[in-house]
Amino acid sequence: MMSKPPLVCLDDYEEYARNHLDKATMAYYSTGADEEITLRENREAFQRIKLRPRVLRDVSHRTLSTSILGCPLDFPICIAPTAFHGMACAEGEIATIKAANLMNTCMVMSTYSNRTLEEVSQAAPDTLRWFQLYVWNDKMSETLVRRAEKAGFKAIVLTVDIPVVGKRRIGGFRLPSHLKLAHLPTEYQTDEVAKNDYGAPADMKDNSLTWHCLTWLRSITKLPIVLKGILTAEDALLAVQYKADAIIVSNHGGRQLDTVQATIDALPEVVKAVNGRIEVYIDGGIRTGTDVFKALALGAKAVFIGRPILYGLVYSGTEGARQVLQILKDELSLAMALSGCASLMDITTSHVLQQHTPRL
């Protein structure tokens, strides 16, 4: 079967998904917490930032290559962890890792995956992949970490912004019966569990975790530890103190605490706080190449995208996800050329103008 031709922009893939997924699945993927103020802010905040292009610069040859935690990438756009890719296409996370392989970028695999760590690794053994971890039970979490190490994953991404699950105003969602939470023991694989906490067991969050959990995690793995869910300078400094290797500035796609800052608004204070001691990445609301450019200008080493990858999977599996990445890559290259930047090193804070907006 021939693959479908690329659409024009990332919003087109979302529109396609909205028109082809059932209402409950689309709501699961697309909704945010409570009144969805942060969900909207994640995108609108990028629009408030204006670009300051430089002219008469030689941009005839542009390079987008970079690295994260010492691993080379062709461009600074990676795949964020999102749950249940099996609802988007039959291959699930295997389709996603294949897209990452085609584009030579990184995929972060979710604890809430429909395919196993081992299956994903076998599908693209040479592709850079990190594993996102929810800590809810020391024994099970340690087992997952050790499986990730054995399967060739190169970092553990610890999600830190979910002591409890935010309130999402969707009703009637349950994980389809033909799909399973691939990383959970069999006692969690029941229809009753499938309708708890948006498809995951209600008791899978440990709300007693403190910063000392990093010490425990360090004791069981030699892999780098990336903290996902940092939004303040205070927590960024603690991340450095507790020897995290990197930070993802994230508000969980606007799905946890509503009315927190957009991630692009939180990025500068986090970057300033860490002062180059660890790498800083960002996710949330990124839909265009200029969004990526703005994030890089404000200090992110790379960006991660979540929902657009899911919508690409709905459109055309691996090829759809690859198209999403390719569109963003091409748009970033165009934004660089029009801003007078031949490499990522040329992108600086002088290229952006942040309009002051009151904190939410």
Side-chain angles (χ1 to χ4, degrees):
M1 181 182 297
M2 294 183 62
S3 61
K4 298 175 184 176
L7 299 176
V8 174
C9 63
L10 268 58
D11 282 344
D12 289 346
Y13 291 85
E14 179 173 359
E15 182 179 2
Y16 180 92
R18 196 172 296 279
N19 291 332
H20 288 80
L21 288 174
D22 64 86
K23 186 176 180 180
T25 299
M26 187 63 195
Y28 177 83
Y29 283 156
S30 65
T31 55
D34 295 314
E35 295 180 291
E36 299 186 332
I37 292 170
T38 295
L39 177 69
R40 294 189 296 273
E41 270 288 293
N42 273 350
R43 295 198 62 179
E44 292 171 2
F46 276 104
Q47 296 169 12
R48 289 193 294 268
I49 300 171
K50 306 308 177 186
L51 294 176
R52 300 181 69 249
R54 299 298 306 277
V55 299
L56 297 178
R57 303 292 182 96
D58 182 359
V59 292
S60 56
H61 300 285
R62 297 184 299 283
T63 175
L64 279 64
S65 60
T66 189
S67 64
I68 52 174
L69 296 181
C71 298
L73 299 176
D74 281 359
F75 60 113
I77 302 166
C78 306
I79 300 175
T82 51
F84 309 148
H85 292 200
M87 298 195 303
C89 72
E91 278 196 304
E93 290 79 11
I94 288 179
T96 313
I97 194 66
K98 288 179 178 177
N101 179 63
L102 289 170
M103 295 299 292
N104 191 27
T105 191
C106 176
M107 172 189 173
V108 185
M109 186 178 183
S110 171
T111 293
Y112 293 167
S113 293
N114 299 129
R115 306 301 289 260
T116 66
L117 289 152
E118 294 78 12
E119 289 174 316
V120 165
S121 294
Q122 289 166 10
D126 296 327
T127 301
L128 180 61
R129 53 201 181 275
W130 296 353
F131 180 64
Q132 177 271 327
L133 178 69
Y134 289 120
V135 175
W136 80 98
N137 172 295
D138 285 0
K139 183 177 180 180
M140 285 190 283
S141 297
E142 181 174 350
T143 297
L144 285 176
V145 169
R146 297 200 183 284
R147 283 175 60 187
E149 283 185 318
K150 186 176 180 180
F153 285 72
K154 299 302 182 183
I156 300 298
V157 178
L158 178 64
T159 297
V160 296
D161 61 357
I162 189 166
V164 295
V165 177
K167 181 182 178 183
R168 301 164 201 165
R169 297 177 183 177
I170 56 175
F173 174 80
R174 62 190 303 166
L175 189 64
S177 59
H178 69 284
L179 297 174
K180 300 296 182 184
L181 286 156
H183 298 133
L184 270 62
T186 54
E187 59 263 31
Y188 287 97
Q189 307 286 1
T190 66
D191 287 342
E192 192 61 30
V193 164
K195 62 185 181 182
N196 291 332
D197 268 6
Y198 317 107
D203 61 351
M204 271 194 65
K205 310 295 183 300
D206 183 352
N207 52 26
S208 69
L209 288 180
T210 70
W211 285 94
H212 295 293
C213 73
L214 270 71
T215 304
W216 166 78
L217 191 54
R218 283 274 180 222
S219 74
I220 65 168
T221 183
K222 295 182 179 179
L223 292 177
I225 297 171
V226 180
L227 298 187
K228 178 179 178 291
I230 302 295
L231 289 172
T232 65
E234 294 90 340
D235 282 340
L237 289 171
L238 284 167
V240 173
Q241 177 183 331
Y242 281 88
K243 303 188 185 309
D245 294 283
I247 286 171
I248 301 178
V249 177
S250 175
N251 55 34
H252 219 101
R255 290 161 78 86
Q256 280 295 98
L257 179 61
D258 199 19
T259 74
V260 301
Q261 283 194 99
T263 52
I264 193 65
D265 287 339
L267 177 63
E269 71 170 90
V270 172
V271 170
K272 182 179 179 181
V274 304
N275 194 28
R277 288 172 289 183
I278 59 177
E279 294 181 354
V280 178
Y281 321 122
I282 185 175
D283 68 18
I286 297 158
R287 296 295 185 276
T288 66
T290 53
D291 292 342
V292 179
F293 185 95
K294 292 169 184 177
L296 298 176
L298 291 173
K301 186 76 185 293
V303 307
F304 287 77
I305 59 170
R307 290 182 177 96
I309 292 295
L310 294 169
Y311 302 146
L313 293 173
V314 174
Y315 182 66
S316 190
T318 291
E319 174 58 16
R322 187 203 66 78
Q323 290 173 12
V324 164
L325 291 165
Q326 186 67 57
I327 287 171
L328 270 186
K329 181 181 180 182
D330 292 344
E331 289 181 352
L332 173 60
S333 182
L334 178 61
M336 289 170 60
L338 294 175
S339 298
C341 299
S343 73
L344 300 185
M345 293 295 292
D346 296 333
I347 304 173
T348 70
T349 54
S350 69
H351 287 98
V352 293
L353 178 64
Q354 287 185 283
Q355 297 181 355
H356 175 74
T357 182
R359 290 194 178 188
L360 290 172

